[in-house]
Amino acid sequence: MIYDWAYGSEAERIRLFSAKYYAACAGGGMVSAGATHLLITPLDMLKVNMQVDPAKYRNIWSGFGVIVREQGPAGLWKGWAGKLFGYGVQGGCRFGLYEYFKKFYSDVAGKSNLKHHKTSIYIAGSASAQIIADLTLCPFEAVKVKVQTQPRFAKGLVDGFPRLYSTEGLSGFYKGIVPLWCRNLPFAMIMFSTFEHTAGFLYQNVLQKQKVECSIIQQLGITCAAGYMAGTAGTIVSTPADNIVACMYNKQADTVLEAIKKIGIINLFTRSLPIRIALVGPVITTQWFIYDTIKVINGVPTSGGIDYFTE
């Protein structure tokens, strides 16, 4: 099935659920995630250091001042390569595989059961995609965090990868995979599910139209609104695990339980939360906008919904 509003002639459009369709989704996810994460590198640099040394980096403005005084303006951009390439690869897997698994679980449920199992399909599809996506991200994240918090460790990925391998071996790249899953799986499940339900609610109750009846501008507007809600919800849920990841990567704790004891229960849920909300909400919104724009350019529907899967 191909929608009438898709750009390009019928011969130029990508057919839904073909190999080209999933490749376009993965490419869109890679561009959207890599570009947005690159742009917010200074905020990420501050966030990681606030998690590791909250006494030194007390708040956003004083934290930026400390980094600039000690490392110069260039210090704000430490870890940029890990953000661009690591999150680019992760974004390609997250979005591309989510489309694949959402279709897969929709087919398993069957057309007659879709209405009653949408949330389960969104959660299962996003979790399946995120597990694989994080396996690609983890080595980049391990090097990035060390580059950002240990000035003498390495300058970037080129010297950071061999340095980490020589000091900790292959296991050093995946030491944080469990807390990374603990952070990103809840985030992905809440984020994708919130996006899908918010988009559906806005189409039904605000525009009061089916998606295929809306203009491209209206659809991308829904994408941005749903994307912001999804990013905020996912951030709140994933903050505890994000703090644990930063603690373990910097050898302040060897296990999740040790990290929780060191951080404290209250700080586990509140440390870096304001900056994460300021950081993640706009980033996820921009990611969804870029992702859906790329989908439109390739002549496939914008995101949201599963009803057309069995039509």
Side-chain angles (χ1 to χ4, degrees):
M1 175 180 179
I2 299 178
Y3 281 66
D4 293 336
W5 49 261
Y7 288 165
S9 65
E10 185 170 352
E12 295 171 335
R13 299 171 189 165
I14 297 176
R15 185 163 297 278
L16 290 179
F17 317 124
S18 65
K20 288 185 178 180
Y21 170 77
Y22 292 120
C25 292
M30 182 176 294
V31 172
S32 66
T36 51
H37 277 282
L38 173 64
L39 291 175
I40 51 87
T41 298
L43 283 171
D44 182 70
M45 172 70 175
L46 175 61
K47 182 210 73 170
V48 171
N49 280 281
M50 288 177 69
Q51 291 172 321
V52 173
D53 193 351
K56 183 177 181 180
Y57 302 90
R58 295 188 301 273
N59 56 58
I60 294 176
W61 299 116
S62 67
F64 276 131
V66 170
I67 294 173
V68 173
R69 282 195 306 272
E70 294 186 353
Q71 305 181 43
L76 295 172
W77 292 93
K78 279 192 172 181
W80 69 267
K83 299 290 286 181
L84 175 63
F85 297 109
Y87 283 88
V89 173
Q90 186 213 38
C93 292
R94 171 191 279 179
F95 283 97
L97 290 175
Y98 174 68
E99 298 287 355
Y100 172 81
F101 283 116
K102 185 168 70 168
K103 175 64 165 63
F104 174 80
Y105 291 123
S106 295
D107 290 341
V108 171
K111 183 177 181 180
S112 61
N113 295 316
L114 281 182
K115 182 178 180 180
H116 304 290
H117 297 287
K118 286 185 178 181
T119 300
S120 299
I121 291 170
Y122 300 147
I123 289 175
S126 58
S128 300
Q130 193 65 49
I131 288 173
I132 298 173
D134 282 349
L135 289 173
T136 66
L137 169 66
C138 200
F140 293 93
E141 184 76 354
V143 175
K144 178 189 75 71
V145 171
K146 287 185 178 296
V147 168
Q148 290 177 324
T149 60
Q150 301 176 25
R152 297 182 180 180
F153 177 77
K155 294 181 179 180
L157 294 181
V158 175
D159 54 341
F161 271 113
R163 174 70 184 279
L164 182 58
Y165 182 77
S166 65
T167 56
E168 300 185 32
L170 186 62
S171 62
F173 292 107
Y174 288 95
K175 183 171 65 175
I177 188 62
V178 172
L180 196 63
W181 277 332
C182 290
R183 178 187 73 182
N184 289 348
L185 279 173
F187 178 88
M189 291 187 288
I190 295 297
M191 189 268 285
F192 279 103
S193 181
T194 300
F195 177 90
E196 298 276 10
H197 284 297
T198 302
F201 175 85
L202 293 175
Y203 280 120
Q204 181 176 354
N205 297 284
V206 177
L207 297 183
Q208 297 182 346
K209 298 178 182 179
Q210 295 292 321
K211 183 168 69 172
V212 294
E213 300 172 339
C214 298
S215 68
I216 296 299
I217 299 300
Q218 288 176 319
Q219 292 182 43
L220 291 178
I222 294 294
T223 292
C224 289
Y228 187 81
M229 292 296 296
T232 301
T235 297
I236 294 172
V237 170
S238 63
T239 291
D242 189 60
N243 285 317
I244 293 172
V245 169
C247 184
M248 293 184 66
Y249 273 140
N250 284 279
K251 297 184 178 180
Q252 295 184 345
D254 294 323
T255 66
V256 172
L257 289 178
E258 286 182 15
I260 293 174
K261 290 180 181 179
K262 183 173 183 63
I263 297 169
I265 296 298
I266 295 178
N267 287 334
L268 191 66
F269 289 89
T270 60
R271 180 181 293 177
S272 76
L273 180 59
I275 191 173
R276 289 197 76 225
I277 291 177
L279 188 71
V280 177
V283 167
I284 295 299
T285 303
T286 306
Q287 283 184 13
W288 278 108
F289 175 76
I290 295 173
Y291 176 63
D292 270 0
T293 299
I294 292 174
K295 289 176 74 174
V296 168
I297 291 172
N298 281 283
V300 297
T302 55
S303 301
I306 57 176
D307 294 331
Y308 59 86
F309 281 171
T310 55
E311 294 179 3

